[in-house]
Each structure stands twice: as structure tokens, then as C-alpha cells.
Amino acid sequence: MTGVGRDGQQSSTPQTEAPTDQTDSASALRHPTGGSDRLRRGGGRGRGRKGKVESVVPEAEFTSYYGRPIVKPSPWEHDIPAYLFAGGVAAGSSLLAAGADLTDRPSMRRSGRLGAIAALTFSMVALVHDLGKPSRFLNMLRVAKPTSPMSVGTWILSFYGPFAGAAAASEVLSMLPGERKGVLRLAEVAGRPAGVVAAVAAPAVASYTAVLLSDTATPSWHEAFRELPFVFVGSAAAASGGLAMVTSPVAETGPARRLAAGGALLELVMEQRMERSMGVTAEPLHHGHAGTLMKAAKALTAAGAVGTLLGGRSRAVAALSGAAMMAGSACLRFGVFEAGQESAKDPKYVVVPQRQRLAEHGPTRFPA
Amino acid sequence: MTEARISPNAFWGPLDPSADAGYDDDRPKRKGFFTDTSICIGCKACEVACKEWNDVPSDHFDMTGTSYDNSHSLNANQWRHVAFIEQPVRPKQTVDLGMPGRAPAYVPGLPATGADPDPVGAGAPAPIDTSDLLGSMLAEAPGSDGGSASADSMDFRWLMSSDVCKHCTHAACLDVCPTGSLMRSEFGTVVVQDDICNGCGYCVAACPYGVIERRRGPDGHKNVGIAQKCTLCYDRLTAGQTPACAQSCPTQSIQFGDVEELRERAEARVAKLHEAGVMDARLYGNDPNDGVGGTGAFFLLLDEPEVYGFPPDPVVTTKDLPEMARKAATAAGVLLLGAAVSFLGRKP
Ligand code: SF4
Ligand code: SF4
Ligand code: SF4
């Protein structure tokens, strides 16, 4: 009972090299067409999903080694989705802060710069906390590896961080009473160029995290690679716009509302497309804890976007909508994270997509 | 060693991994394993030898309740893992193999009666004399050993397979490692440098075979928080020795040697088995054009890969990395543009 598709139709495995002198019964042996004698009781047939009844699609049949996982889930804990969320908030906030600075919106500039540095600090703490050996964080900086999204991300953050920090420092200085002289004055006026550089680097901060997840063997992360960057930048825009709507007066936050609503729309649309292109690996996005988080993410983001568009000029509605979109973004990151972890623990999400690929295209071979 | 080099087949496709990593022409030949599971007897000598030689701590030995497997999986504390699969036997065999239910127990790599001059292969294991082993496999009739249970009464078979890190040509673990802790050795193998790994765990999620893992355990124990896996006995290789697991394998199911030569040996073996009617025999990981560029440690299996806990069509995740990078760059552009557009128009 190998490699049976979701529709329950047999697609046993013709990919092994065909011996030349294959007799009929040999081929029956190698290409079983069903029969309970082929059920691998010992070899472990696919487990059914415990207590799942909502699906009318027949369960995918697959073979595994006693239902044990094939790939390993990442050892990452909740620091990582928190880091993804905070990184998105930081990136979007830097963009809004630079725009606010250039268009004379002092309150939104302040909330953007300070929000960015707070979120960045939080995300760095989360990241370092997650390392098995936190004392060795600096080992990341001993190489620059284009094939490692974590290495690339570290370098992106190392570039972005100081500029975001300089912009925030300038903001703090400008909040102090009196005039500044010398170096401090310099630090204060450096805020604008630093903020602009941070804003140019910021989109990479928001989108690389999608590659960070996708460049793994974790089925529900890898299979999402086509759309996940768009989902994540949409989520970053919604969350950072939301933060500005919470912290700044409506007179200044027109751009934040537009960014947030646009981001929410992008996130929702691309998330739908992502699920469609993921095949069976989209399932974990609907099950269990991850499913709850993803439902909450969609509801909160959609509600926030609607609130923004309809009542964004009211301070209370704006703040509420902004908070909803921030919460939606956080739920999305945690939901995607957990769905991936679950997908790695179930051999189904490794075997079934690979079997489907084999049935449709044959084994993966480098084009000669 | 600089890691930034990008060759045409850097992301996938056939290549010589140690040359790609920058070792020059007087490097040794690529080393690896051909694990012939058809002659594995499940004795676990390899597991034990590995633990002893590499000082790998024991952990959670207990029965799983599903088979005689008490070491569960490859993980940080289990660099070799012998899978045990109890399986209902096939309804029909084209050729009577004698005792299909006990096929693995024949140890056909060894002479039928005693007197192997070099049973553990002190040097490189001698190529298996396949004509001989097939002779013995086919000649021995059920019950010829006089009085044991008739094979006809057995309706199941055992599959046993000693699994290990595949030392992939395109090793996702190595590609994604942000510290350079995972490195390609001059033997073309993939090795963790314990003193550089920062425990980020990225390699764990990247390995398409679920091999490498971060060691858990109380702080202060050896290498806790550090990614751990088979080194292909790097220390023994540099001293010109055979890896401990292969050295200890009593049936030469684990054959160590030059990958190129092992691939030929494997082809010959599978052809012989097909000739003898064992049509289920197939090689796994030997093709340099496959999704991971071929593996340094590859296998002869008697059933579908997933039966043994292998992915049926593994692909290194970096194969898609160029497209991932393009998508991410586009998404970043969309965000930048979106932010700029948000500021257009008059102030409210
Ligand atoms: S099997 Fe996994 S751990 Fe071993 S080299 Fe390949 S990717 Fe790395
Ligand atoms: S856990 Fe260690 S070996 Fe693995 S990717 Fe991180 S730094 Fe590299
Ligand atoms: S080669 Fe060495 S480290 Fe690898 S499994 Fe064998 S004994 Fe263990």
C-alpha cells in the first residue's frame, strides 16, 4: 500500500529501476495493486489522525517506519515566532518613522523610531535566548554564508540595527529639554539620514524571515516558500501600521492606516494562495493549536483592516483596529511556526508529497 | 576555509564535494559507506562500536512496543541506528529463495562454513564475492540445516537496516549552518566542529533525513546544546583506519571505502540480486543526479525507502534557495513601495 494519493487511488511505485527479465509475477510483486497482504502491519501503515472526523476527504494512505517522524522538528521554541513578529514590527516601524520624518509627522516619527528599537531589542534577546549556547552568539559573525538564511539575516540585522539605533538615539535626544552641542548635536541631526538608511534596509529584515523558515526540510515551511515572504511582509506592514495607530494621533497616521490595511489585505490574500499551493502540507495550518492560531490571525487581521478602513479617523477605533492587527500578526507567526513543527513530527507530510511528486514526475533528477 | 564560493552546481546537481569546498588535487578520495541491508542481521554491533569509540552517551533505551527496536531513531546520542521491521511476507516469490522469511539471516557475504580469514575486515573490506553468496543463498533449501522450523510456515520477514548520516553531496545541514561549524572534510564527509557550533539548531530542521540533532541534557555534560551526528569517524579516517561501525560489522553489511568504488560494488550486488529473483532489491542514495547529489553513505534496500524511515525522494532544501531569495527580494520591494505609496497624497 505504498504511495496512495489523497483520493485513495493507488499510485504504487514504478520508480525503481526495472530489471530486464521481469516476469509477470515479479511485476505483481513489485507493483502491488492492493490486497491486504500488502498491508504493512509491522512496517507501519500511516496512522489515521486521532479523532479527526471533520474531513470528508479520505485519509491519505502511506507507509512509514512505525509512524515515526522522518525529519526532525527544529529545536526552536516560542522565542522564534516572537522574534519573527518583533522583527516585522521593527521593520515596518522604521519605514513609517522615516516617512513620518520626511513628511513632518513628529508623533508618528517618534513612535516609529522607538517602536523599531524596542522591537529589535526584544527580537535580539529572543534570538540569543534560543541558541543552545547563547555565549556563542558571536560565532554567527565569523562567516558570511549566502547559502544560510540565518547567516544572511544576521548580517542584515547587523547592518540595520545600528542605523535603527542611531535614529532612536536621535529621537531620545530630541525629547530632552534644551539645546545640544557638539557630538550630541551631531547625533541628533544624524537621526534623519540614519532613519532613511534603516528604512531602506528594513524590508529585508521583514522578508528574510520567510526564507529562514522555508529553507528547511520542515514540510509546512518549505512548501510555503513561494508565498511566505509576501505573507510575512504583509503581516509586518499590518503590525507596524497597527502600532502607529495605537500610539499616534489620527491626524498623523493616515499613511500608517493605508500601510496597515494594504498589508492586512496582502497577508490575507497571499495566505490563501499559500495554502492552495502547499498541497497536503497545508493541513497542519488547520489542525490543533496551529489551526486555532491561524483562525485567530485571519479574524483579527480582517477585523483590524475593516475597522481601519471604516473608522480609522476615530482615535478609539483606530487604536482598537491597530491592536487587532498587531495581535493578528503575532497569531500568524505563531501559527505558521507551530504548523511547521507539527508537520515535521508526522511522517505523512514527508512521504505523501514526495510520493505524489514521484507519481507525477518520477524521481527528482538533475537535468543532464 | 571560505564558505562563500558558488559553483554552477552549488545548490544541487552532481559535484565532488571536497573539491567544491576548496581542497586541492592531492586530497584523498571521497569516503563513504555502502550499507547492504540484505545481509544485516540486526546485531547492533555498529551502534555499540560507535558509542564506544566516539564516547556518545546512552539515552532512553527502551522498547518501543512496535518492534525490537530499542534505540528509536538517529539523534544526537545515536549516530548509528538499526531499524527492525517485521513485515508480512509477500504472497508470491518468482524464485524460491529457500527461506524468504529469513532472508537476511543468511549472511551471504561470508563463506557458508567458517574460516573467514578476516571477518571484521581489518583493512578495507574485501569486495563481496557475489557469485558465491548467491550460490549459497539459492542452494540452501528450507530445512536443510536439519530440523528447524520449516520456512513454509513463516508468514513474515524481518528487514533490518543500519542507518547513519548520509554525508550528502549537497548537505542541507552544512549549507544552512550560520557559523561554519559544519564543515566538509577532505574525505568529502560532513563534520560538526563542536567548538564553533552555537547551538542555533538550524541544521536540525534542514536535514531531509532527520539525522542531526542538538544534544539535550543537563548543563555541563559533554556537548550539551551542540549539534551532534556521525563524523564518519573523522579521527580514524585521518589515521587511515576504517570507521568503528564498519569495522565491527560481522556480516560486512556496512562496507566502507571510496564512494566511487562502492557505487560500482553496489550496482553489481543489486544486479546479482535481481538475477536471483530478489526483485525488491534497490539502491537508495547512490545516484549523483538525485535530489541531494547522491549520498556518501548509501543503501541497498529490500523495500520502499519509507518502510525503513527514509524519505522516498529527498531533495536538498537549497535547491529552491535561489527562487526563495528572488521571492523574498520581490516581497521586500513590495513592502518598500507600499510604504512609499502610503505617504503619497495630502495630509488629512
Ligand atoms: S544526512 Fe542530514 S546531517 Fe547528514 S550530511 Fe545529509 S543533511 Fe547533513
Ligand atoms: S546548531 Fe551548530 S552546527 Fe547546527 S546550524 Fe547551528 S551552528 Fe551550525
Ligand atoms: S562512522 Fe564512526 S561516527 Fe559514524 S556511525 Fe560509524 S562509528 Fe559512528
Side-chain angles (χ1 to χ4, degrees):
Chain A
M1 277 274 161
T2 46
V4 180
R6 261 187 301 180
D7 48 1
Q9 164 202 323
Q10 287 281 348
S11 57
S12 56
T13 52
Q15 87 285 5
T16 41
E17 60 292 311
T20 42
D21 57 346
Q22 199 174 34
T23 64
D24 280 343
S25 52
S27 99
L29 187 142
R30 297 180 68 249
H31 307 300
T33 47
S36 57
D37 42 357
R38 273 292 283 190
L39 296 189
R40 295 197 176 108
R41 274 170 282 135
R45 290 187 62 210
R47 298 171 284 143
R49 290 219 141 259
K50 303 148 235 146
K52 275 283 171 300
V53 282
E54 80 247 30
S55 168
V56 279
V57 185
E59 272 308 323
E61 300 252 7
F62 66 101
T63 314
S64 72
Y65 182 59
Y66 297 103
R68 305 236 196 112
I70 291 178
V71 296
K72 291 212 173 356
S74 79
W76 301 334
E77 294 178 20
H78 284 152
D79 305 321
I80 294 298
Y83 160 79
L84 302 177
F85 167 70
V89 172
S93 295
S94 282
L95 283 164
L96 284 172
D101 188 22
L102 296 173
T103 59
D104 193 25
R105 291 172 160 97
S107 173
M108 192 160 90
R109 182 193 72 205
R110 176 163 303 165
S111 89
R113 286 175 171 177
L114 298 182
I117 198 67
L120 183 65
T121 308
F122 175 83
S123 69
M124 293 318 287
V125 169
L127 189 62
V128 171
H129 179 245
D130 197 75
L131 293 179
K133 290 274 175 191
S135 56
R136 295 191 187 167
F137 174 73
L138 291 179
N139 285 8
M140 295 273 206
L141 300 177
R142 63 184 285 283
V143 287
K145 267 174 78 167
T147 59
S148 170
M150 197 180 283
S151 174
V152 172
T154 305
W155 287 104
I156 291 174
L157 285 170
S158 309
F159 178 82
Y160 162 82
F163 289 102
S170 150
E171 195 61 46
V172 172
L173 285 172
S174 72
M175 287 157 74
L176 302 175
E179 285 282 308
R180 270 147 300 278
K181 290 191 277 298
V183 182
L184 289 186
R185 176 72 200 136
L186 206 65
E188 194 173 353
V189 298
R192 173 163 299 180
V196 169
V197 175
V200 171
V205 174
S207 75
Y208 101 84
T209 49
V211 184
L212 183 75
L213 293 189
S214 292
D215 193 28
T216 60
T218 300
S220 296
W221 293 344
H222 184 88
E223 293 308 316
F225 78 86
R226 293 167 198 85
E227 298 87 5
L228 198 59
F230 298 94
V231 176
F232 275 14
V233 298
S235 181
S240 56
L243 177 63
M245 289 159 63
V246 172
T247 53
S248 302
V250 287
E252 287 191 13
T253 56
R257 292 198 294 274
R258 287 191 281 273
L259 182 66
L265 194 69
L266 182 68
E267 178 197 313
L268 291 167
V269 169
M270 293 310 284
E271 207 279 330
Q272 268 326 104
R273 288 185 55 170
M274 177 177 96
E275 286 188 21
R276 276 206 304 277
S277 80
M278 284 169 71
V280 69
T281 63
E283 270 180 27
L285 291 164
H286 300 281
H287 289 152
H289 200 211
T292 314
L293 285 164
M294 293 304 288
K295 272 199 204 82
K298 282 177 204 168
L300 286 163
T301 303
V306 170
T308 304
L309 292 173
L310 297 184
R313 282 154 196 275
S314 138
R315 185 75 178 85
V317 176
L320 214 60
S321 306
M325 283 184 286
M326 289 186 77
S329 172
C331 287
L332 174 90
R333 311 302 180 122
F334 278 83
V336 168
F337 175 79
E338 291 207 358
Q341 295 289 87
E342 288 309 312
S343 73
K345 292 176 194 160
D346 191 336
K348 171 181 179 180
Y349 300 114
V350 176
V351 175
V352 172
Q354 293 189 13
R355 275 289 162 206
Q356 278 170 352
R357 191 166 72 210
L358 281 166
E360 281 159 31
H361 309 288
T364 303
R365 290 292 178 262
F366 191 75
Chain B
M1 189 185 354
T2 51
E3 306 276 358
R5 183 189 340 267
I6 302 281
S7 75
N9 287 3
F11 294 109
W12 78 301
L15 54 69
D16 178 338
S18 49
D20 187 57
Y23 292 99
D24 53 27
D25 288 343
D26 49 3
R27 67 185 181 278
K29 285 191 174 155
R30 183 178 184 188
K31 295 288 184 288
F33 290 126
F34 166 44
T35 303
D36 181 350
T37 70
S38 69
I39 51 175
C40 175
I41 55 171
C43 69
K44 284 176 173 274
C46 51
E47 283 190 11
V48 177
C50 177
K51 278 191 186 277
E52 289 291 332
W53 180 263
N54 295 294
D55 192 17
V56 179
S58 68
D59 67 343
H60 68 260
F61 281 117
D62 45 24
M63 300 311 282
T64 56
T66 47
S67 87
Y68 286 113
D69 183 354
N70 67 349
S71 51
H72 306 249
S73 61
L74 289 177
N75 57 56
N77 292 346
Q78 195 70 46
W79 299 355
R80 270 269 173 202
H81 166 245
V82 181
F84 285 70
I85 298 129
E86 186 182 340
Q87 206 178 54
V89 83
R90 303 304 158 68
K92 257 185 235 144
Q93 300 277 5
T94 34
V95 175
D96 186 358
L97 293 183
M99 298 160 77
R102 291 199 333 219
Y106 270 98
V107 197
L110 296 176
T113 44
D116 185 337
D118 183 16
V120 289
I128 285 187
D129 181 353
T130 42
S131 55
D132 189 18
L133 74 89
L134 283 163
S136 66
M137 202 174 191
L138 298 172
E140 259 181 80
S144 65
D145 50 341
S148 68
S150 160
D152 297 335
S153 68
M154 300 180 99
D155 57 353
F156 68 96
R157 66 168 179 174
W158 280 102
L159 298 176
M160 292 150 197
S161 162
S162 181
D163 193 7
V164 70
C165 168
K166 317 298 177 289
H167 296 278
C168 310
T169 301
H170 291 283
C173 61
L174 191 158
D175 287 338
V176 304
C177 174
T179 64
S181 155
L182 277 157
M183 62 139 201
R184 184 71 65 175
S185 81
E186 63 272 35
F187 302 103
T189 58
V190 179
V191 179
V192 186
Q193 303 172 82
D194 298 336
D195 52 341
I196 294 175
C197 170
N198 69 6
C200 71
Y202 205 3
C203 52
V204 177
C207 172
Y209 304 94
V211 171
I212 194 167
E213 196 192 34
R214 201 161 85 175
R215 184 169 287 165
R216 284 178 294 245
D219 268 340
H221 281 207
K222 187 183 162 202
N223 285 336
V224 166
I226 302 283
Q228 299 282 286
K229 70 168 190 73
C230 161
T231 67
L232 216 120
C233 282
Y234 192 29
D235 50 351
R236 292 174 69 97
L237 292 201
T238 49
Q241 294 204 14
T242 301
C245 52
Q247 181 88 17
S248 71
C249 176
T251 68
Q252 293 183 9
S253 169
I254 301 174
Q255 299 172 36
F256 166 77
D258 297 338
V259 169
E260 233 168 277
E261 198 265 308
L262 289 175
R263 281 179 181 154
E264 286 166 20
R265 208 189 287 177
E267 296 286 356
R269 170 71 173 152
V270 88
K272 278 286 182 190
L273 285 174
H274 284 170
E275 221 168 86
V278 187
M279 302 319 254
D280 278 345
R282 83 249 1 235
L283 297 178
Y284 178 75
N286 64 316
D287 187 341
N289 290 301
D290 75 11
V292 299
T295 52
F298 54 92
F299 300 80
L300 185 151
L301 305 176
L302 296 177
D303 206 332
E304 307 294 352
E306 56 265 42
V307 170
Y308 298 85
F310 292 129
D313 186 37
V315 173
V316 63
T317 181
T318 49
K319 173 175 178 282
D320 296 319
L321 189 58
E323 200 185 338
M324 290 181 210
R326 274 196 296 278
K327 300 277 187 200
T330 311
V334 167
L335 180 57
L336 192 62
L337 203 70
V341 168
S342 308
F343 280 94
L344 296 181
R346 51 182 185 80
K347 274 199 206 176

